[in-house]
């Protein structure tokens, strides 16, 4: 007789690293789901002006977050950046549709900054490939609809 728990025997245990990467991906997805992004500090005053205006427009229009297309574009750009595929990254930036350009670039910069802060917080124990997996998990979680940008 089969039990509803039979699948447990086929699960492979996760190592600590994999478990941590999953938790980081979940944390990022949850952070992104709480739109607008928690932006405290800006490295460039021009970016602050540009992106604060975008976030204000979102708030005034009642937008609940970036479009799914902008999210996909931002995650793609962040993975290219983390993977140090600079030529492909530049080509992808040039190919961004004008209508979503600022939205995609804001989210991209947030993802890269978040990843760099995570690498720093873990004192370099995470490699770029690990960070890319974290981003992939967060993106998948958002796309699957398990978290909806609110």
């Amino acid at each position: 007789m089969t039990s509803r728990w039979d699948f447990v025997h086929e699960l492979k245990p996760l190592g600590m690293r994999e478990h941590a990467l999953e938790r980081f991906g979940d944390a990022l997805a949850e952070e992104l789901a709480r739109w607008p992004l928690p932006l405290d500090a800006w490295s460039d005053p021009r970016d602050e002006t540009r992106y604060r205006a975008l976030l204000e427009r979102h708030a005034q229009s009642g937008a609940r977050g970036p479009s799914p297309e902008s999210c996909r574009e931002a995650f793609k750009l962040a993975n290219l950046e983390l993977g140090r595929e600079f030529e492909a990254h530049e080509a992808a930036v040039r190919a961004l549709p004008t209508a979503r350009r600022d939205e995609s670039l804001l989210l991209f910069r947030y993802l890269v900054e978040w990843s760099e802060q995570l690498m720093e917080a873990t004192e370099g124990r995470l490699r770029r490939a690990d960070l890319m997996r974290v981003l992939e998990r967060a993106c998948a979680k958002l796309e699957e609809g398990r978290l909806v940008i609110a």
Side-chain angles (χ1 to χ4, degrees), residues 64-150:
R64 300 183 62 97
S67 69
E69 296 83 7
S70 292
C71 284
R72 279 190 289 279
E73 291 160 350
F75 276 100
K76 176 183 175 181
L77 290 171
N79 272 312
L80 291 171
E81 176 86 9
L82 291 172
R84 297 186 176 194
E85 297 181 44
F86 301 120
E87 289 178 18
H89 176 268
E90 288 302 316
V93 168
R94 285 191 300 275
L96 287 173
T98 305
R100 293 192 309 269
R101 184 180 189 82
D102 281 350
E103 191 174 79
S104 297
L105 290 176
L106 168 64
L107 191 51
F108 152 70
R109 288 183 178 180
Y110 187 82
L111 294 172
V112 171
E113 177 80 17
W114 191 94
S115 299
E116 289 171 351
Q117 289 174 355
L118 177 59
M119 187 182 283
E120 187 175 305
T122 59
E123 298 174 347
R125 288 188 289 263
L126 295 180
R127 299 178 305 268
R128 288 179 173 275
D130 294 327
L131 295 172
M132 291 167 70
R133 287 177 46 207
V134 168
L135 293 181
E136 288 168 11
R137 169 135 178 125
C139 183
K141 194 165 187 178
L142 288 169
E143 285 186 345
E144 289 172 6
R146 288 187 276 168
L147 282 175
V148 177
I149 294 178

